[in-house]
Short mmCIF file of all heavy atoms in Angstrom, two decimals:
data_model
loop_
_atom_site.label_atom_id
_atom_site.label_comp_id
_atom_site.label_asym_id
_atom_site.label_seq_id
_atom_site.Cartn_x
_atom_site.Cartn_y
_atom_site.Cartn_z
N LEU A 100 11.79 2.37 52.66
CA LEU A 100 12.80 3.46 52.41
C LEU A 100 13.80 3.12 51.33
O LEU A 100 14.21 3.96 50.54
CB LEU A 100 13.57 3.78 53.73
CG LEU A 100 14.54 4.96 53.70
CD1 LEU A 100 13.77 6.26 53.26
CD2 LEU A 100 15.21 5.10 55.02
N ARG A 101 14.03 1.79 51.20
CA ARG A 101 14.96 1.37 50.15
C ARG A 101 14.41 1.61 48.74
O ARG A 101 15.07 1.88 47.85
CB ARG A 101 15.25 -0.15 50.32
CG ARG A 101 16.33 -0.64 49.32
CD ARG A 101 16.51 -2.15 49.56
NE ARG A 101 17.20 -2.42 50.84
CZ ARG A 101 16.75 -3.20 51.83
NH1 ARG A 101 15.60 -3.81 51.62
NH2 ARG A 101 17.44 -3.37 52.96
N GLN A 102 13.04 1.64 48.65
CA GLN A 102 12.40 1.88 47.37
C GLN A 102 12.53 3.35 46.94
O GLN A 102 12.43 3.64 45.73
CB GLN A 102 10.86 1.44 47.47
CG GLN A 102 10.69 0.03 47.79
CD GLN A 102 11.24 -0.91 46.72
OE1 GLN A 102 11.19 -0.55 45.55
NE2 GLN A 102 11.75 -2.07 47.17
N VAL A 103 12.70 4.27 47.86
CA VAL A 103 12.73 5.68 47.48
C VAL A 103 14.14 6.29 47.57
O VAL A 103 14.30 7.53 47.30
CB VAL A 103 11.77 6.47 48.38
CG1 VAL A 103 10.38 5.99 48.30
CG2 VAL A 103 12.26 6.44 49.86
N VAL A 104 15.13 5.52 47.87
CA VAL A 104 16.51 5.98 47.96
C VAL A 104 17.36 5.30 46.96
O VAL A 104 17.20 4.12 46.68
CB VAL A 104 17.05 5.78 49.36
CG1 VAL A 104 18.55 6.12 49.46
CG2 VAL A 104 16.28 6.54 50.43
N ALA A 105 18.27 6.08 46.35
CA ALA A 105 19.12 5.51 45.32
C ALA A 105 20.45 6.33 45.32
O ALA A 105 20.51 7.49 45.80
CB ALA A 105 18.56 5.60 43.95
N ALA A 106 21.53 5.69 44.84
CA ALA A 106 22.84 6.34 44.78
C ALA A 106 23.48 5.91 43.50
O ALA A 106 23.38 4.79 43.00
CB ALA A 106 23.66 5.94 46.01
N GLU A 107 24.32 6.77 42.94
CA GLU A 107 25.01 6.52 41.68
C GLU A 107 26.33 7.22 41.72
O GLU A 107 26.49 8.27 42.43
CB GLU A 107 24.20 6.94 40.45
CG GLU A 107 23.96 8.46 40.42
CD GLU A 107 23.20 8.83 39.14
OE1 GLU A 107 22.89 7.94 38.31
OE2 GLU A 107 22.87 10.02 38.96
N ASN A 108 27.28 6.66 41.00
CA ASN A 108 28.62 7.20 40.83
C ASN A 108 28.84 7.72 39.39
O ASN A 108 28.94 6.90 38.50
CB ASN A 108 29.67 6.20 41.27
CG ASN A 108 31.04 6.62 40.93
OD1 ASN A 108 31.78 5.83 40.30
ND2 ASN A 108 31.44 7.79 41.35
N PRO A 109 28.88 8.98 39.19
CA PRO A 109 29.24 9.49 37.84
C PRO A 109 30.58 8.93 37.37
O PRO A 109 31.50 8.71 38.11
CB PRO A 109 29.32 11.04 38.02
CG PRO A 109 28.46 11.33 39.23
CD PRO A 109 28.67 10.14 40.11
N VAL A 110 30.63 8.68 36.03
CA VAL A 110 31.77 8.04 35.48
C VAL A 110 32.99 8.88 35.69
O VAL A 110 33.01 10.14 35.53
CB VAL A 110 31.50 7.74 33.96
CG1 VAL A 110 32.77 7.07 33.37
CG2 VAL A 110 30.31 6.91 33.79
N ASP A 111 34.10 8.18 36.09
CA ASP A 111 35.46 8.81 36.29
C ASP A 111 35.44 9.88 37.31
O ASP A 111 36.14 10.88 37.16
CB ASP A 111 35.97 9.34 34.92
CG ASP A 111 36.11 8.28 33.87
OD1 ASP A 111 36.43 7.09 34.24
OD2 ASP A 111 36.07 8.58 32.71
N THR A 112 34.62 9.69 38.35
CA THR A 112 34.62 10.67 39.42
C THR A 112 34.66 9.84 40.75
O THR A 112 34.47 8.66 40.77
CB THR A 112 33.36 11.50 39.38
OG1 THR A 112 32.20 10.72 39.62
CG2 THR A 112 33.26 12.26 38.07
N VAL A 113 34.88 10.60 41.85
CA VAL A 113 34.82 9.99 43.21
C VAL A 113 33.67 10.54 43.95
O VAL A 113 33.72 10.68 45.16
CB VAL A 113 36.20 10.24 43.92
CG1 VAL A 113 37.29 9.41 43.25
CG2 VAL A 113 36.49 11.70 43.96
N LEU A 114 32.65 10.87 43.19
CA LEU A 114 31.40 11.45 43.77
C LEU A 114 30.37 10.39 43.88
O LEU A 114 30.26 9.42 43.01
CB LEU A 114 30.95 12.64 42.94
CG LEU A 114 31.86 13.79 42.72
CD1 LEU A 114 31.26 14.83 41.79
CD2 LEU A 114 32.19 14.48 44.06
N ILE A 115 29.57 10.56 44.93
CA ILE A 115 28.39 9.74 45.09
C ILE A 115 27.15 10.62 45.13
O ILE A 115 27.07 11.50 46.01
CB ILE A 115 28.45 8.86 46.41
CG1 ILE A 115 29.67 7.96 46.31
CG2 ILE A 115 27.18 8.08 46.56
CD1 ILE A 115 29.89 7.12 47.61
N LYS A 116 26.24 10.42 44.15
CA LYS A 116 25.03 11.32 44.13
C LYS A 116 23.87 10.48 44.69
O LYS A 116 23.51 9.41 44.17
CB LYS A 116 24.79 11.67 42.62
CG LYS A 116 23.72 12.71 42.47
CD LYS A 116 23.58 13.18 41.11
CE LYS A 116 22.59 14.30 40.91
NZ LYS A 116 22.51 14.76 39.55
N ILE A 117 23.31 10.94 45.72
CA ILE A 117 22.25 10.30 46.48
C ILE A 117 20.96 11.03 46.14
O ILE A 117 20.88 12.26 46.19
CB ILE A 117 22.52 10.34 47.95
CG1 ILE A 117 23.84 9.64 48.26
CG2 ILE A 117 21.36 9.65 48.76
CD1 ILE A 117 24.37 9.83 49.64
N SER A 118 19.89 10.23 45.85
CA SER A 118 18.53 10.78 45.56
C SER A 118 17.53 10.16 46.47
O SER A 118 17.64 8.99 46.80
CB SER A 118 18.19 10.56 44.07
OG SER A 118 18.04 9.20 43.83
#
Side-chain angles (χ1 to χ4, degrees):
L100 185 58
R101 187 179 292 124
Q102 300 298 324
V103 300
V104 174
E107 64 176 357
N108 170 229
V110 181
D111 297 333
T112 65
V113 292
L114 300 176
I115 299 176
K116 190 173 183 180
I117 302 168
S118 63

